[in-house]
Amino acid sequence: ENKHEEKVQNPDREENETRANMGSKTWTDLAGEMKMFLWNPEERTCLGRTAKSWGLILLFYFVFYTCLAGMFAFCLYVMLLTLSPYTPRYRDRVSPPGVMIRPYLNGFTIAFNVSQPSTWQPYVDSMHRFLEAYDDKVQEEKNIECVSGQYFIQGGNENEEKKACQFKRSLLQNCSGIEDSTFGYSKGQPCILLKMNRIIGYRPGAGVPVRVDCKVLKGNESDLRSVDFYPGNGTFDLMYYPYYGKFTHVNYTSPLVAMHFTDVRRNYLVPIQCRLNGKGIINDLNSDRFLGRIIFTLSIGK
């Protein structure tokens, strides 16, 4: 009873004694216990388990994870059966097209000095590389001539290869890089190409070609006195639409509109906004500067 009362009055005594006994062990003792835990030759156990025990638990986890992986693969297979590699199932969130410009090197500021070729040569090289796919010979070999002013709708199965309409580089006229290999940059009259993002099945303009216009975003409108558009009046011909996707529309090249800035204020940052105009086009959404429009800055020095 006295011992019991002593334990009740001092419950930490037994724990302290156990700790003291453990603390009295040497490193050799601890190493021996660890060795015995790793492999006990008397009981023939490894990490406390016999070979049979290890075999059973490994077999359980192998079967468990195999079934789990099989269920995941089956669900993924069933999901893929409902999808088409040629046409996205949901396209309602990408109907209004975004736009992009070329050249695009270091952001949306095109800055150079006319008297310093090293400042504008990278833009020229980028333009030539981009337009290689639009060379007249390449287009004549790969693509066909289409009827202008109407959509080029192609039937058949969705996995059949579709034909593409020719968009020749020469259509860009002064911005083609054929007559003027510097695209006007050596004269301080740069050409900039604008393209719509590809959207499978999209027919822009609802039967009327989409037109491009450019103006000064902020500041004096006289900073941008003259812009020429190629081809035509800066429109995207309907014959290049709809687009059927990269798997079937293999040789498709996006139509372009070239903007030739022939008279821009020198030695000044001129912010410019170029917009798409047409039925169904959204170009005034403040939260997206690339939806139906593009904003960039021209800085042309002497």
Side-chain angles (χ1 to χ4, degrees), residues 263-290:
D263 195 355
V264 182
R265 182 178 176 180
R266 300 291 183 90
N267 299 315
Y268 192 77
L269 290 174
V270 182
I272 298 173
Q273 175 180 263
C274 294
R275 303 184 304 174
L276 303 179
N277 297 280
K279 189 174 181 179
I281 299 294
I282 300 175
N283 57 19
D284 56 357
L285 196 63
N286 292 329
S287 60
D288 193 341
R289 59 179 291 183
F290 304 105

Side-chain angles (χ1 to χ4, degrees), residues 4 10 18 28 31 45 79 90-91 144 161 191 200 215 234 244 258 282 301:
H4 177 71
N10 192 5
T18 302
T28 303
T45 59
M79 183 192 69
Y90 300 106
R91 290 173 287 171
I144 64 173
E161 185 173 335
C191 288
I200 296 177
K215 65 178 182 179
Y244 289 95
I282 300 175

Side-chain angles (χ1 to χ4, degrees), residues 10 31 54 75 79 86 110 126 144 168 197 222-223 249 284:
N10 192 5
W54 276 114
C75 293
M79 183 192 69
Y86 306 102
I110 297 178
S126 176
I144 64 173
K168 296 181 179 180
N197 292 344
S222 63
D223 293 344
H249 230 158
D284 56 357

Side-chain angles (χ1 to χ4, degrees), residues 79-251:
M79 183 192 69
L80 292 176
L81 288 178
T82 65
L83 302 177
S84 171
Y86 306 102
T87 306
R89 177 177 291 274
Y90 300 106
R91 290 173 287 171
D92 55 328
R93 299 186 63 183
V94 292
S95 292
V99 293
M100 192 59 183
I101 60 171
R102 293 292 188 276
Y104 176 75
L105 296 181
N106 301 311
F108 293 94
T109 297
I110 297 178
F112 63 94
N113 295 321
V114 177
S115 60
Q116 298 177 350
S118 60
T119 60
W120 48 258
Q121 190 61 47
Y123 297 112
V124 173
D125 295 339
S126 176
M127 292 279 278
H128 278 294
R129 287 193 299 269
F130 177 73
L131 289 175
E132 286 179 355
Y134 293 86
D135 286 341
D136 290 15
K137 290 184 178 180
V138 174
Q139 290 292 313
E140 290 172 358
E141 292 175 359
K142 294 184 177 181
N143 298 332
I144 64 173
E145 293 184 3
C146 301
V147 180
S148 178
Q150 66 183 37
Y151 295 121
F152 184 32
I153 301 174
Q154 304 177 60
N157 296 329
E158 64 177 2
N159 60 349
E160 292 182 2
E161 185 173 335
K162 302 298 189 292
K163 298 178 180 179
C165 297
Q166 296 178 4
F167 189 97
K168 296 181 179 180
R169 182 173 182 167
S170 56
L171 293 174
L172 301 177
Q173 300 179 36
N174 293 339
C175 289
S176 65
I178 298 174
E179 296 181 1
D180 180 5
S181 61
T182 67
F183 299 96
Y185 283 83
S186 62
K187 303 174 183 177
Q189 300 177 342
C191 288
I192 297 177
L193 306 178
L194 186 143
K195 63 183 287 289
M196 282 195 284
N197 292 344
R198 300 178 181 181
I199 301 176
I200 296 177
Y202 181 62
R203 305 179 189 180
V208 179
V210 175
R211 182 177 53 84
V212 179
D213 66 20
C214 297
K215 65 178 182 179
V216 175
L217 182 62
K218 294 181 181 179
N220 196 334
E221 294 184 359
S222 63
D223 293 344
L224 180 61
R225 290 180 283 269
S226 178
V227 185
D228 296 331
F229 295 93
Y230 309 105
N233 296 319
T235 58
F236 290 94
D237 200 301
L238 300 179
M239 66 180 177
Y240 299 106
Y241 304 96
Y243 171 61
Y244 289 95
K246 64 179 182 179
F247 291 112
T248 55
H249 230 158
V250 179
N251 296 322

